[in-house]
Amino acid sequence: KSPTIIFIDEIDALCIKRSDAGHTASLVNTLLTEIDGATSRNDDVLVIGATNTPWRIDSAFRRPGRFDHVLFVPPPDAVARESIFQLALDGIPQESINLTKLAKLSDEFSGADIAAAVQAASEMVITQIMKTGKEGKLTEKQLVAAVKKHRATTLEWLGQASNYASYSN
């Protein structure tokens, strides 16, 4: 039914290179056939796939008429990280926190990295409350410690992507 947008997250699980697919190669062929049928019979249908490993996608999916546009979405910039911190902290009892400072400290963090740092800092507060028996609020110091302890998961991906871009055709 159109207009329709079909979004497939982690599409590399379905569109893996047939040479790497083993016994699921027939699934890849079936999906290719279905995508061709969907685009030939439906106006105003957009199929979008997202992946962290575009190099694992079978090249047949990237021909014109299928997934023919590739868009790189980089890690969030400082302004976006500040907004993500604000969203992640919503509803958590907290002292005054300098989100701009946290955004600067979390360079190359993904949204998931920020959520993990906020979770780790929240667990510090819970541990403190359990030890002292006194109510507490999340502090900037706890968040800074959690951010400094957490390693950005985008670094490994950026390294893999750089190697792929350097050595692939």
Side-chain angles (χ1 to χ4, degrees):
K1 185 168 182 159
S2 63
T4 298
I5 297 174
I6 300 170
F7 177 77
I8 306 169
D9 196 12
E10 305 295 346
I11 196 162
D12 52 290
L14 296 173
C15 301
I16 190 167
K17 289 181 182 177
R18 286 171 281 189
S19 60
D20 298 337
H23 66 280
T24 61
S26 62
L27 173 66
V28 174
N29 289 329
T30 301
L31 188 55
L32 284 166
T33 302
E34 292 298 323
I35 288 174
D36 287 341
T39 57
S40 68
R41 291 189 306 264
N42 292 304
D43 291 329
D44 300 323
V45 173
L46 177 64
V47 181
I48 301 171
T51 180
N52 290 326
T53 55
W55 48 87
R56 293 186 62 208
I57 303 291
D58 192 287
S59 60
F61 284 97
R62 293 194 313 260
R63 76 154 177 78
R66 292 179 178 157
F67 295 102
D68 49 358
H69 298 302
V70 176
L71 174 66
F72 171 67
V73 179
D77 63 13
V79 173
R81 289 192 307 276
E82 190 171 332
S83 295
I84 295 168
F85 269 108
Q86 187 172 17
L87 289 169
L89 290 166
D90 187 42
I92 297 174
Q94 58 194 269
E95 294 181 359
S96 178
I97 295 173
N98 183 341
L99 298 178
T100 303
K101 177 180 178 180
L102 290 172
K104 286 179 183 176
L105 288 173
S106 59
D107 189 37
E108 296 181 344
F109 272 39
S110 67
D113 292 329
I114 291 170
V118 169
Q119 180 66 35
S122 297
E123 289 171 5
M124 289 180 207
V125 175
I126 292 168
T127 301
Q128 180 183 340
I129 292 169
M130 291 175 70
K131 284 182 181 178
T132 65
K134 297 178 183 175
E135 286 295 317
K137 291 184 178 182
L138 184 63
T139 67
E140 184 176 317
K141 183 178 178 182
Q142 290 163 323
L143 277 166
V144 167
V147 166
K148 287 183 176 180
K149 188 176 180 180
H150 188 83
R151 184 174 184 270
T153 57
T154 60
L155 298 175
E156 181 182 345
W157 184 90
L158 290 169
Q160 288 177 341
S162 176
N163 288 338
Y164 176 74
S166 297
Y167 298 105
S168 72
N169 58 2

